[in-house]
Amino acid sequence: MELYSGYINQLIEELANLPGIGNKSAQRLAFYLINLPKERVEHFAKTVLEARENVRYCKQCYTLTDNELCPVCRNGSRDASTIMVVENARDLAAYEKTGKYEGVYHVLHGAISPMLGIGPNDIKLKELMTRLQGDVKEVIIATNSSLEGETTAMYISKLIKPTGIRVTRIASGVPVGGDLEYIDEVTLLRALEGRTEL
Ligand code: ZN
């Protein structure tokens, strides 16, 4: 039995496909959107479209940006010889928020997960190796402390070790399975300062 109009059902379905949105939240959001003034809905839809069309990968670190290079890579005072490897752009943002890290980043856009069929070629790993041909002194692996994050860290360290570049791993003061973006700045800094050689 159709409880709502077909249009509302479609909207609920689309919203429920978003990560972290269950069916109940999707219903609440759908009714909220439908009751908004038409101009606000138009503005919302336009914002989503424009973001989708204009956001791209930074040519150097692969974070999401509006320009060819992201603000970190464009900033000449950052230490380009230290690269912190993170799983996603949100993790990068979490470290940037501390304001204490002076190196640059590399965003993998995922982690290796044999269980989910995500292999080394499905993340931006080749791109990282290409960057290492430049003047790089240290690679700090800051993937999550989940099984996937640890697998990825071990894999990367094995790849980099033979090049002679220093490879470190952030300290595991970070709760297991914890997403970096939810961890407070003090904990992040402690994890960075307590990093160990791999
Ligand atoms: Zn960048």
Side-chain angles (χ1 to χ4, degrees), residues 71-88:
V72 174
C73 292
R74 250 185 293 150
N75 184 346
S77 63
R78 301 290 290 241
D79 169 17
S81 71
T82 304
I83 300 179
M84 185 195 288
V85 179
V86 292
E87 288 185 24
N88 55 53

Side-chain angles (χ1 to χ4, degrees), residues 58 60-63 69-70 72-73:
C58 168
Q60 210 156 297
C61 74
Y62 292 87
T63 193
L69 287 175
C70 74
V72 174
C73 292

Side-chain angles (χ1 to χ4, degrees), residues 1-169:
M1 189 182 73
E2 295 265 301
L3 288 176
Y4 308 125
S5 92
Y7 286 114
I8 294 180
N9 278 332
Q10 262 180 45
L11 182 57
I12 292 172
E13 225 170 88
E14 282 294 336
L15 291 166
N17 281 333
L18 299 172
I21 307 284
N23 210 43
K24 263 199 184 141
S25 303
Q27 289 188 29
R28 205 171 53 235
L29 288 171
F31 285 106
Y32 173 79
L33 287 170
I34 280 166
N35 287 308
L36 281 180
K38 202 170 163 237
E39 309 79 65
R40 288 218 24 217
V41 178
E42 276 168 358
H43 184 256
F44 177 73
K46 200 172 134 239
T47 307
V48 175
L49 266 178
E50 281 180 349
R52 179 63 187 84
E53 275 164 15
N54 295 306
V55 173
R56 49 181 159 164
Y57 290 141
C58 168
K59 228 173 72 183
Q60 210 156 297
C61 74
Y62 292 87
T63 193
L64 299 170
T65 177
D66 295 351
N67 303 297
E68 208 163 289
L69 287 175
C70 74
V72 174
C73 292
R74 250 185 293 150
N75 184 346
S77 63
R78 301 290 290 241
D79 169 17
S81 71
T82 304
I83 300 179
M84 185 195 288
V85 179
V86 292
E87 288 185 24
N88 55 53
R90 300 187 310 270
D91 293 343
L92 182 156
Y95 267 103
E96 264 318 271
K97 245 179 29 203
T98 68
K100 295 267 161 57
Y101 175 65
E102 282 162 5
V104 293
Y105 298 91
H106 187 85
V107 183
L108 293 172
H109 292 279
I112 297 171
S113 169
M115 238 165 59
L116 296 173
I118 301 169
N121 290 329
D122 300 315
I123 58 177
K124 303 275 177 214
L125 205 52
K126 273 195 312 281
E127 291 82 350
L128 173 65
M129 297 312 288
T130 308
R131 285 181 78 183
L132 299 187
Q133 286 160 14
D135 183 24
V136 177
K137 292 195 179 73
E138 182 181 355
V139 174
I140 304 169
I141 305 179
T143 51
N144 290 338
S145 51
S146 60
L147 180 62
E148 292 80 14
E150 293 298 346
T151 307
T152 309
M154 288 321 295
Y155 190 90
I156 296 177
S157 101
K158 270 191 200 143
L159 273 185
I160 299 179
K161 270 281 179 68
T163 65
I165 296 170
R166 185 180 177 210
V167 190
T168 54
R169 175 89 172 109

Side-chain angles (χ1 to χ4, degrees), residues 94 144-145 173-175 178-188:
N144 290 338
S145 51
V174 178
D179 268 7
L180 282 182
E181 57 175 323
Y182 295 123
I183 294 160
D184 67 90
E185 292 166 29
V186 177
T187 312
L188 276 184

